């Protein structure tokens, strides 16, 4: 009898010493999702969450889902419509709030509390949630549970299927904290269905799946370049709309007056023929890349190709055309060998960077091997504008100025300030970051283009100054008049064979191929998308979020 009493006392003391949460901890016992992909690209989602409040008293649970996900350099914005909520098989009260980048559903009654285990069923429809912008496949990249639950999940699973019998080609799953590439989960494909499950997820851990379909299975989803507009900005726009009279009838006319009197190139009068190589006010040469950028306020592929020709004419590199036969010898492929002749001289920052990017530590390369990545192009663009700013020809890179005018133009246009919006959009195509000196130089370059387009008209003078004409080739390319210039040059000197180029065929036949090959090797835009298969992780893709109790 004494032993039993002693054992009972010890048991009572042990249980009494345990933390309250150990006796009755808040948790998710099961999180199951049924998802159906429809032919129109909609996703029908039904979540069944077995949630236990333990011994705590709560009003219910909340569940939030992000509406914006990153796809490479773009953004996918989904639309979520909740269609029904049940608790323990009965309809339950809920409220939905959207903050722009996520949507939250708050389930429960603020006048009543509950405790113990309960089963919640949440049904909703998702639009624009399928990745159908890839060249070789469509995919559903979905964060099943979300990584934002503050309680552990004992078991999570999903059954994904489509309602039009298209087989799923491949699938993967990810688990763990957001960004994790662990795959401590099971996944099975059976025809047009895929199932995945995982046991024991800690707080802030989740289950994510990626399922691949044949390309073109779903309509193309919509991606956008920027994040959705912040609600605070919307409030600002409403206030801004109240000022539409001032904006339309005072500010807009003044901006047009300012542009026509101060910034319009026409204030210099019609361009006159210019026979001179472009020079800055200090007498130094304006390079082809600078000339092309001054002309259209952008660094383009043609400006880089023009610089390569200019470096060849100035004896920094030599170009050799080569012919290679295919493996079977049935077709010939033409390439160009670039040889670096010297590394020092009168090179500017842009030219030095270009040569180093083309050759690296080598003295010779082929044109097809000399690829310029987007990062390299951005560095070249930065150095090019840096030189123009130092010459007082530009205030800054005009991209930001044009983008700002475009953004404000669209904002004012849709806020009711139609005149001002139109003026700002017009100025976004005209404002270019050039200074007064830059505008004057652009006007002179317009005169040079007149000369380059009509080379054959000045044949007597040209024939005596052919070395000068050769130096003009890169400028004709950078200014976009290379074809007209070459026609005139061919009339003046049909057998032109420059010392800096060797190879089969004439220079006139070579330059278009060289230009197209070199241009195709320059990447001017950043990669725009990434797939869940190649760069997937837990927490990635659509869906996700998390929740808790309240």
């Amino acid at each position: 009898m004494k032993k039993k009493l002693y054992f009972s006392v010890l048991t009572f003391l042990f249980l009494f010493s345990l933390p309250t949460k150990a006796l009755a901890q808040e948790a998710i016992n099961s999180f199951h999702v049924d998802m159906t992909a429809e032919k129109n690209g909609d996703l029908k989602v039904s979540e069944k969450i077995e949630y236990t409040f333990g011994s705590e008293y709560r009003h219910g649970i909340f569940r939030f889902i992000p509406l914006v996900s990153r796809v490479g350099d773009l953004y996918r914005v989904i639309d979520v419509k909740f269609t029904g909520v049940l608790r323990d098989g009965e309809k339950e009260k809920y409220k939905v709030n959207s903050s722009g980048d996520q949507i939250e559903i708050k389930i429960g009654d603020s006048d009543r509390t509950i405790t113990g285990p309960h089963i919640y069923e949440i049904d909703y429809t998702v639009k624009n949630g399928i990745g159908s912008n890839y060249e070789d496949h469509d995919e559903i990249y979905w964060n099943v549970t979300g990584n934002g639950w503050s309680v552990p999940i004992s078991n999570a699973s999903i059954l994904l299927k489509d309602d039009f019998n298209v087989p799923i080609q491949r699938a993967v799953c990810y688990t763990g904290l957001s960004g994790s590439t662990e795959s401590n989960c099971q996944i099975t494909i059976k025809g047009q269905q895929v199932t995945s499950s995982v046991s024991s997820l800690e707080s802030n851990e989740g289950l994510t799946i990626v399922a691949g379909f044949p390309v073109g299975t779903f309509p193309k989803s919509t991606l956008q370049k920027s994040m959705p507009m912040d609600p605070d900005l919307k409030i600002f726009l409403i206030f801004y709309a109240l000022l539409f009279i001032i904006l339309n009838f005072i500010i807009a006319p003044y901006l047009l007056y300012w542009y026509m009197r101060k910034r319009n190139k026409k204030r210099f009068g019609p361009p006159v023929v210019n026979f001179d190589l472009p020079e800055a006010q200090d007498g130094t040469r304006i390079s082809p890349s600078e000339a092309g950028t001054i002309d259209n306020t952008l660094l383009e592929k043609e400006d880089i190709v023009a610089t390569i020709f200019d470096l060849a004419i100035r004896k920094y590199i030599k170009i050799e055309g080569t012919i290679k036969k295919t493996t079977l010898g049935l077709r010939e492929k033409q390439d160009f060998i670039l040889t670096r002749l010297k590394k020092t001289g009168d090179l500017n920052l842009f030219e030095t960077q270009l040569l180093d990017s083309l050759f690296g530590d080598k003295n010779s390369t082929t044109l097809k091997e000399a690829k310029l990545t987007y990062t390299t192009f951005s560095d070249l663009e930065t150095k090019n504008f840096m030189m123009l700013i130092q010459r007082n020809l530009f205030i800054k890179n005009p991209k930001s100025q044009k983008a700002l005018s475009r953004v404000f133009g669209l904002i004012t246009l849709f806020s009711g300030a139609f005149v001002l919006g139109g003026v700002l959009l017009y100025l976004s195509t005209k404002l270019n970051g050039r200074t007064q000196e830059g505008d004057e130089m652009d006007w002179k370059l317009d005169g040079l283009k007149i000369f380059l387009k009509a080379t054959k008209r000045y044949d007597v003078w040209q024939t005596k100054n052919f070395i000068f004409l050769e130096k003009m080739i890169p400028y004709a390319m950078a200014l976009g008049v290379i074809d007209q210039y070459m026609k005139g040059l061919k009339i003046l000197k049909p057998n032109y064979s420059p010392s800096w180029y060797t190879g089969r065929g004439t220079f006139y036949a070579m330059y278009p191929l060289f230009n197209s090959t070199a241009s195709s090797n320059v990447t001017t835009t950043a990669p725009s998308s990434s797939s869940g298969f190649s760069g997937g992780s837990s927490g990635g893709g659509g869906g996700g979020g998390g929740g808790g109790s309240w």
Side-chain angles (χ1 to χ4, degrees):
M1 185 70 179
K2 290 183 178 180
K3 288 184 177 179
K4 289 183 178 179
L5 179 62
Y6 180 73
F7 179 78
S8 298
V9 170
L10 287 179
T11 302
F12 173 80
L13 291 175
F14 172 75
L15 294 175
F16 183 80
S17 65
L18 287 175
T20 304
K21 289 188 177 180
L23 293 172
Q25 187 178 25
E26 196 171 340
I28 296 175
N29 296 327
S30 175
F31 194 121
H32 177 73
V33 175
D34 284 312
M35 176 181 284
T36 302
E38 299 186 335
K39 184 64 178 175
N40 63 0
D42 289 354
L43 296 174
K44 299 292 185 183
V45 184
S46 180
E47 297 180 349
K48 186 176 183 180
I49 303 172
E50 297 182 15
Y51 199 102
T52 178
F53 298 97
S55 59
E56 301 290 337
Y57 283 86
R58 296 283 190 261
H59 298 287
I61 67 171
F62 63 90
R63 172 84 167 98
F64 65 89
I65 301 173
L67 298 177
V68 183
S69 59
R70 193 74 180 263
V71 183
D73 293 330
L74 303 176
Y75 298 91
R76 173 178 288 113
V77 181
I78 65 173
D79 178 52
V80 175
K81 297 292 184 186
F82 291 98
T83 55
V85 174
L86 301 177
R87 179 174 66 85
D88 300 329
E90 302 289 335
K91 289 185 177 181
E92 181 70 326
K93 290 183 176 181
Y94 67 91
K95 291 182 179 179
V96 177
N97 293 305
S98 178
S99 61
D101 60 349
Q102 75 174 31
I103 191 169
E104 179 185 271
I105 182 170
K106 196 174 185 180
I107 305 171
D109 189 339
S110 59
D111 296 326
R112 185 180 62 180
T113 58
I114 56 176
T115 189
H118 295 273
I119 299 176
Y120 290 90
E121 296 174 65
I122 308 171
D123 295 331
Y124 55 93
T125 300
V126 178
K127 293 184 180 295
N128 200 41
I130 298 178
S132 51
N133 302 91
Y134 305 102
E135 295 182 356
D136 58 349
H137 72 286
D138 289 356
E139 72 178 32
I140 297 176
Y141 184 13
W142 194 255
N143 189 346
V144 179
T145 59
N147 293 67
W149 291 94
S150 59
V151 298
I153 302 174
S154 298
N155 179 270
S157 60
I158 182 173
L159 170 61
L160 167 64
K161 61 183 179 179
D162 61 65
D163 64 352
F164 48 95
N165 297 323
V166 173
I168 297 173
Q169 295 179 323
R170 53 177 174 157
V172 295
C173 59
Y174 304 102
T175 56
L177 299 172
S178 181
S180 169
T181 56
E182 295 179 356
S183 294
N184 298 323
C185 46
Q186 296 77 43
I187 192 160
T188 304
I189 302 174
K190 188 175 181 181
Q192 72 271 20
Q193 295 185 356
V194 60
T195 58
S196 181
S197 61
V198 60
S199 299
S200 185
L201 293 170
E202 299 297 329
S203 61
N204 297 314
E205 292 185 343
L207 169 66
T208 297
I209 69 163
V210 187
F213 294 80
V215 65
T217 299
F218 303 101
K220 294 296 182 183
S221 57
T222 302
L223 301 177
Q224 58 188 58
K225 294 183 179 180
S226 59
M227 288 281 289
M229 194 172 294
D230 188 88
D232 292 337
L233 184 56
K234 291 181 180 179
I235 296 174
F236 168 76
L237 293 178
I238 293 172
F239 170 76
Y240 192 70
L242 298 176
L243 304 175
F244 77 96
I245 295 177
I246 297 174
L247 299 177
N248 281 321
F249 300 107
I250 297 177
I251 295 180
Y254 174 77
L255 287 176
L256 279 177
Y257 170 81
W258 169 80
Y259 173 72
M260 298 303 295
R261 290 294 303 272
K262 301 292 185 180
R263 305 304 309 159
N264 193 347
K265 187 169 55 175
K266 292 181 180 179
R267 67 187 186 275
F268 298 112
V272 295
V273 180
N274 181 10
F275 298 90
D276 299 321
L277 286 168
E279 290 185 352
Q281 286 191 347
D282 59 3
T284 57
R285 185 184 78 124
I286 298 292
S287 68
S289 68
E290 291 175 303
T293 302
I294 293 169
D295 180 51
N296 56 17
T297 70
L298 293 171
L299 178 69
E300 297 183 315
K301 296 179 179 182
E302 290 76 12
D303 301 326
I304 294 176
V305 180
T307 303
I308 295 175
F309 275 111
D310 185 59
L311 290 169
I313 293 170
R314 292 159 58 199
K315 309 302 182 186
Y316 281 94
I317 62 176
K318 186 167 185 176
I319 303 172
E320 178 184 356
T322 62
I323 299 294
K324 292 182 179 179
K325 291 183 178 291
T326 59
T327 305
L328 299 177
L330 300 177
R331 186 163 55 91
E332 293 182 340
K333 289 185 176 180
Q334 184 160 357
D335 197 1
F336 299 90
I337 297 175
L338 305 180
T339 303
R340 190 168 186 172
L341 302 178
K342 55 182 179 179
K343 297 183 178 181
T344 59
D346 57 340
L347 295 171
N348 60 36
L349 292 174
F350 179 90
E351 294 162 347
T352 301
Q353 171 76 28
L354 178 59
L355 283 172
D356 290 343
S357 300
L358 291 174
F359 291 97
D361 56 359
K362 300 182 297 183
N363 289 323
S364 180
T365 184
T366 65
L367 187 59
K368 291 182 179 178
E369 292 174 349
K371 296 183 181 295
L372 299 182
T373 65
Y374 172 70
T375 301
T376 301
F377 177 81
S378 297
D379 290 341
L380 289 170
E381 183 181 48
T382 299
K383 287 182 171 59
N384 198 50
F385 274 105
M386 185 186 302
M387 296 187 304
L388 291 168
I389 292 170
Q390 289 173 349
R391 292 182 184 275
N392 196 35
L393 297 173
F394 274 78
I395 301 172
K396 57 184 176 181
N397 187 327
K399 282 184 178 179
S400 57
Q401 188 177 24
K402 289 186 174 184
L404 189 63
S405 296
R406 193 178 301 115
V407 168
F408 276 103
L410 292 173
I411 290 173
T412 53
L413 190 66
F414 289 106
S415 67
F418 302 113
V419 178
L420 179 61
V423 169
L424 288 174
L425 290 176
Y426 171 75
L427 292 180
S428 72
T429 66
K430 299 297 181 180
L431 294 178
N432 44 49
R434 287 196 298 254
T435 62
Q436 171 84 10
E437 294 179 20
D439 285 340
E440 187 174 356
M441 178 58 66
D442 184 40
W443 178 75
K444 291 179 180 178
L445 289 173
D446 286 343
L448 180 60
K449 282 196 283 187
I450 294 174
F451 162 67
L452 295 173
K453 290 179 181 179
T455 310
K456 60 185 179 182
R457 296 183 185 176
Y458 311 100
D459 54 346
V460 175
W461 181 88
Q462 309 262 24
T463 306
K464 296 179 180 179
N465 296 275
F466 199 83
I467 294 177
F468 169 80
L469 295 182
E470 187 177 56
K471 293 179 180 179
M472 283 291 188
I473 293 174
Y475 292 95
M477 184 168 290
L479 296 174
V481 294
I482 185 64
D483 291 334
Q484 299 98 312
Y485 186 67
M486 283 300 180
K487 287 180 180 178
L489 206 63
K490 191 172 183 180
I491 294 173
L492 296 175
K493 196 165 186 176
N495 298 321
Y496 172 49
S497 179
S499 60
W500 43 271
Y501 168 74
T502 59
R504 191 172 73 176
T506 66
F507 173 74
Y508 297 111
M510 177 277 289
Y511 87 86
L513 179 60
F514 186 95
N515 188 11
S516 62
T517 304
S519 296
S520 65
N521 283 354
V522 180
T523 301
T524 60
T525 56
S528 60
S529 63
S530 60
S531 166
F533 289 104
S534 60
S537 64
S538 176
S549 62
W550 66 286

